Amino acid sequence: MKLSTLLSEISCTLISGDQETEITSLVYDSRKARPGSLFVCVKGFQVDGHAYIPKALKAGAAAILVEDVPEAPVDAAVIKVENARKALAYLSATWFDHPARKMTMIGLTGTKGKTTTAHMIKKILEASGSKVGMIGTIGAFIGTEKVPVKNTTPESYELHSLFDQMHGSGCQYVVMEVSSQALKLDRTAGITFDYGAFLNLSPDHIGPDEHADFEEYKACKTLMFSQVKKTIVNLDGAYWEEVTAPARKVVTVSRGQNADYMGRNAENKWEPSFLGVSFDLSGKVEGKIEMNMPGEFNVENALVAIAVTSEAGIPYAAICEGLKSVSVKGRTQLLTDAAHISTFIIDYAHNAISAENLLKMLKSYEPDRLLCLFGGGGNRAVQRRYDMGRISGKYADLTVITMDNPRDEDMDEINKTIIQGLEAHHGAYIVISDRKEAIHYLLETCGPGDIAVMIGKGHEEYQEIHGVKHPFSEAAIVSEYAATIKRREQKK
């Protein structure tokens, strides 16, 4: 591709070189530069791409895109922009011939529920016969094929590369989680979303490497809605008017207010291999919805999924079919392999808000006992551990404290803070440091009227200890030990 073509959609100044230069690849990592590359100098949190210009030029880069022009002349075309990261997003779209424009783009943002809602939408679209690409916390999917990604919303070049693969494999829709960090770092700059949804907002992701404060976090969420053709808004959460102020056309959902899509009369449904909820749908579409995912907060997620897909012209029958069969790894994931013993659930809840929403909801099913297994992540906010302990002590009949991802911290120190939180509500607890042994204890202890939930790790399949990630699957451990118990019982 000629440099002039690649630069056609960005505002820039050609400092030196020929804009008719032939470009063979677009890179922002100097280690990937080769003869003919355009090297984009991105300023990161720890590394400034400008420092790697000599390395890229040595590898044969034909052009460099900079924010700071090199003092000494270089043997390559030099292009100056105000924001190299934002430019990279537009360059990437052009490099891959704008694949996002060839599919229906659906973006979801909010503090909680993005992953679950994305899976709901994907399942509904697939029930209608469509092939769907999905990008989010659990990874990227091209139909059923999983593609690993580093971030909830990958860097812009990786995003457009994924879009290109999705379009090439026949995907008609892309459903993606759009994180506040991605919006802050312009990873989705230039993408027009046909449908964009705002789920909710509460304080999170605030810290030195994320957002300075809640106001910045909120402002970053707002950025998405200047890129959306039709916005779906959950009226039941705070801040929606402020966050979606740039929206062009708004469609509303609610559990309690008048809205375009309303979910009323939610009822819990609990059977050995089913833990879910049903509700009455009214407004633009009317009927009865049943889904194999528990909790009224999942009613909110379902309403967003219903609104997005219905506005996209998906029939009601496909909506019902998709929601009834949806399952999300690590999000109120029911482990049916242990249904003969008790009700076992895995959930990613790893802060006080998500833990309270989950445990309060599970308590509403009125189990004989609610048991909660979790640990504290090392090298993370100490307050989070205390709060998790406090919430578990408030709702769980028994808390099993165990290992999460201790990273470089001592587990006993992590546990001390969790126990302090538990004692705020005089919560009963037991400490079993080995997480596998702790899960075995739950399986041996629980009865058919109990609900046991393992929180904090969710979809993760590893434990991080002193910089090493060890393979660890909660679902596999439950399945294997439940089978052992079944064989033991059959021999009696």
Side-chain angles (χ1 to χ4, degrees):
M1 185 178 290
K2 288 191 183 297
L3 182 60
S4 58
T5 303
L6 197 50
L7 302 177
S8 60
E9 293 195 18
I10 67 168
S11 176
C12 62
T13 303
L14 184 66
I15 301 296
S16 63
D18 185 356
Q19 65 177 356
E20 296 307 300
T21 298
E22 199 72 33
I23 300 299
T24 59
S25 67
L26 175 65
V27 299
Y28 63 95
D29 181 340
S30 61
R31 292 169 295 185
K32 296 180 180 179
R34 62 179 191 263
S37 294
L38 168 58
F39 174 56
V40 180
C41 300
V42 173
K43 291 183 179 181
F45 289 114
Q46 278 126 15
V47 177
D48 183 350
H50 292 76
Y52 295 88
I53 290 173
K55 188 175 180 181
L57 293 174
K58 188 176 180 181
I64 57 171
L65 186 139
V66 300
E67 293 177 17
D68 305 324
V69 178
E71 292 182 5
V74 297
D75 187 21
V78 179
I79 307 102
K80 187 181 186 306
V81 294
E82 287 187 13
N83 183 334
R85 195 182 286 275
K86 190 170 186 176
L88 177 62
Y90 284 89
L91 293 172
S92 299
T94 302
W95 181 259
F96 289 103
D97 193 25
H98 301 284
R101 296 178 183 175
K102 302 167 187 175
M103 298 174 288
T104 300
M105 301 296 296
I106 300 167
L108 308 172
T109 199
T111 305
K112 305 183 301 292
K114 295 188 296 295
T115 300
T116 299
T117 308
H119 277 76
M120 288 176 171
I121 293 171
K122 183 173 187 282
K123 199 73 174 176
I124 291 168
L125 293 171
E126 288 172 341
S128 74
S130 300
K131 187 169 184 179
V132 184
M134 183 171 71
I135 302 169
T137 307
I138 294 177
F141 293 83
I142 301 175
T144 56
E145 178 194 352
K146 185 175 181 182
V147 182
V149 293
K150 289 182 180 178
N151 306 102
T152 296
T153 313
E155 190 55 80
S156 56
Y157 181 88
E158 281 71 33
L159 262 184
H160 289 279
S161 175
L162 283 167
F163 296 156
D164 187 49
Q165 294 172 60
M166 289 170 179
H167 180 257
S169 72
C171 289
Q172 297 140 288
Y173 295 87
V174 176
V175 186
M176 61 181 289
E177 301 175 42
V178 183
S179 67
S180 57
Q181 193 79 337
L183 291 162
K184 178 180 179 178
L185 298 177
D186 293 307
R187 290 176 186 159
T188 58
I191 297 172
T192 297
F193 292 98
D194 297 279
Y195 304 93
F198 173 66
L199 280 65
N200 49 62
L201 192 71
S202 54
D204 202 3
H205 301 292
I206 295 166
D209 293 334
E210 294 186 278
H211 298 286
D213 51 33
F214 180 64
E215 286 305 310
E216 185 194 284
Y217 177 52
K218 182 169 54 176
C220 287
K221 292 288 188 189
T222 304
L223 295 172
M224 177 175 149
F225 295 97
S226 61
Q227 299 172 229
V228 174
K229 290 181 181 178
K230 186 178 282 190
T231 296
I232 285 76
V233 175
N234 174 19
L235 299 181
D236 298 334
Y239 310 111
W240 69 265
E241 289 174 295
E242 191 174 343
V243 172
T244 62
R248 304 177 210 173
K249 186 174 182 181
V250 173
V251 174
T252 56
V253 307
S254 175
R255 288 193 292 117
Q257 305 177 56
N258 287 329
D260 296 310
Y261 296 85
M262 294 171 284
R264 307 281 171 85
N265 305 320
E267 292 183 0
N268 292 338
K269 295 192 70 175
W270 182 18
E271 298 165 4
S273 294
F274 189 98
L275 188 72
V277 65
S278 65
F279 63 92
D280 295 327
L281 176 66
S282 58
K284 284 190 171 185
V285 179
E286 301 199 350
K288 190 84 169 178
I289 299 294
E290 186 177 279
M291 58 181 173
N292 194 12
M293 294 191 75
E296 290 198 9
F297 56 82
N298 275 326
V299 174
E300 292 184 19
N301 294 334
L303 284 171
V304 171
I306 291 165
V308 168
T309 52
S310 182
E311 293 295 318
I314 304 303
Y316 174 70
I319 290 171
C320 291
E321 182 185 338
L323 289 175
K324 192 165 185 178
S325 59
V326 70
S327 175
V328 185
K329 186 175 182 178
R331 303 304 196 274
T332 54
Q333 179 186 353
L334 184 65
L335 302 178
T336 55
D337 288 349
H340 59 285
I341 299 170
S342 190
T343 298
F344 281 81
I345 293 167
I346 293 174
D347 195 88
Y348 189 51
H350 60 286
N351 59 35
I353 295 167
S354 54
E356 182 156 30
N357 285 339
L358 176 70
L359 296 179
K360 185 177 180 180
M361 175 272 292
L362 292 175
K363 201 75 171 174
S364 73
Y365 283 80
E366 300 181 353
D368 293 341
R369 293 186 306 160
L370 176 59
L371 297 90
C372 180
L373 178 151
F374 76 98
N379 305 100
R380 297 293 185 268
V382 173
Q383 184 65 37
R384 179 182 288 184
R385 302 165 196 169
Y386 176 87
D387 290 340
M388 292 281 284
R390 177 176 55 81
I391 295 301
S392 190
K394 181 179 179 181
Y395 293 100
D397 297 290
L398 176 67
T399 297
V400 180
I401 303 173
T402 189
M403 183 183 289
D404 190 285
N405 295 320
R407 298 183 177 88
D408 298 318
E409 286 197 65
D410 180 71
M411 249 197 73
D412 291 338
E413 290 301 312
I414 293 173
N415 291 347
K416 279 180 187 177
T417 310
I418 294 172
I419 290 167
Q420 288 170 1
L422 281 159
E423 289 173 345
H425 292 286
H426 309 289
Y429 68 89
I430 183 173
V431 179
I432 304 175
S433 296
D434 186 296
R435 198 171 181 107
K436 184 175 182 179
E437 288 182 16
I439 293 170
H440 288 178
Y441 171 82
L442 278 185
L443 285 157
E444 293 283 3
T445 304
C446 285
D450 297 334
I451 294 178
V453 60
M454 295 162 280
I455 66 175
K457 295 192 68 61
H459 60 278
E460 292 178 354
E461 295 199 343
Y462 63 85
Q463 283 188 310
E464 187 177 342
I465 306 168
H466 297 300
V468 179
K469 290 186 176 181
H470 302 270
F472 191 92
S473 168
E474 290 184 315
I477 290 167
V478 169
S479 180
E480 289 165 9
Y481 201 72
T484 300
I485 291 174
K486 192 170 189 175
R487 288 192 298 270
R488 187 177 69 201
E489 295 298 319
Q490 288 170 345
K491 289 178 181 179
K492 288 183 179 179

